[in-house]
Amino acid sequence: MYFFQIIKINSIIKISKLLFAFVVLLSFVYIIGHKLNDSGYSKEDFDRLDVLSKKICFKGKIINAKIIERYVNRYYLLCIKLDYTNINEYYIFKEKLCALKIKNGIGVLVGGLVFNDNKIPTYIEYNIDNCYKRFTHYSNGEIDTVKT
C-alpha cells in the first residue's frame, strides 16, 4: 500500500511540474506576442494619419539617400528637393509608423525597406493627382509603386 501511495505522489508531482511549465510557457508566449503586436498607437492615430497622408502631395528630386537600420530592418532615409508640394510646412513623427518633414522646399522622409543596395532612388512622387500612391524612380530606370 505504501508503494502505491509513493507512485501516486510521484505522478502528481510530475503532472504539477508539467502543468506549471505549460502555464509559464503560455504566459511567455502571450507577453512576447503582445509586445510585438502593440505599437502603442490607437485606431484613431492610424485614421488621423491616413487622412493627413491623403491630403499631402509632393514630388521632387532626391538629393541625398542614406540607408538606416531600425527594428531589424533597413530603410531609406530620403532628402528631397521638392519641385511641387501642396503645403509649405509639415512635420509628423510617429515611432515605428512614419516620419515626414517638409520645410523651405525640402522634404525628408523614410522611403521604405531596402531590398537591394544597388537600387539608388533619384526621384519621388507622392499622392500626385490624389491617386494615393508613391512612385519612386531609381537610377537604373526602375519605378516602384506603393499604395499609401
Side-chain angles (χ1 to χ4, degrees):
M1 182 104 156
Y2 179 71
F3 178 71
F4 292 115
Q5 288 177 342
I6 292 175
I7 291 175
K8 281 185 180 180
I9 292 173
N10 284 340
S11 297
I12 292 171
I13 290 172
K14 286 180 183 177
I15 291 171
S16 298
K17 286 180 180 179
L18 284 173
L19 186 62
F20 178 75
F22 183 70
V23 168
V24 168
L25 181 65
L26 280 178
S27 300
F28 181 73
V29 168
Y30 173 77
I31 289 170
I32 295 298
H34 184 70
K35 291 281 186 193
L36 290 176
N37 290 331
D38 184 23
S39 64
Y41 296 104
S42 66
K43 183 179 180 329
E44 291 79 24
D45 286 335
F46 284 102
D47 291 343
R48 180 176 168 267
L49 181 64
D50 190 45
V51 168
L52 287 173
S53 67
K54 290 186 175 162
K55 290 181 181 178
I56 298 171
C57 303
F58 61 86
K59 64 181 178 177
K61 182 180 178 188
I62 297 173
I63 54 178
N64 195 1
K66 289 184 180 180
I67 296 174
I68 59 172
E69 293 190 24
R70 298 279 290 163
Y71 310 108
V72 192
N73 291 318
R74 298 171 64 210
Y75 299 92
Y76 283 114
L77 181 63
L78 305 174
C79 182
I80 306 157
K81 175 68 176 150
L82 298 172
D83 298 333
Y84 165 78
T85 182
N86 64 342
I87 55 175
N88 293 328
E89 286 191 20
Y90 183 78
Y91 177 77
I92 187 167
F93 178 80
K94 298 280 187 181
E95 187 78 19
K96 299 182 185 178
L97 191 59
C98 72
L100 171 64
K101 181 178 181 179
I102 295 175
K103 187 174 183 177
N104 299 330
I106 301 289
V108 178
L109 77 146
V110 176
L113 288 170
V114 176
F115 296 110
N116 185 349
D117 289 338
N118 296 327
K119 285 176 69 174
I120 301 167
T122 57
Y123 197 83
I124 191 164
E125 300 174 22
Y126 184 86
N127 197 24
I128 299 299
D129 299 328
N130 293 320
C131 64
Y132 308 124
K133 293 182 182 177
R134 182 183 72 216
F135 299 96
T136 306
H137 302 255
Y138 294 94
S139 59
N140 63 0
E142 286 184 49
I143 299 174
D144 280 346
T145 303
V146 178
K147 184 154 178 63
T148 60

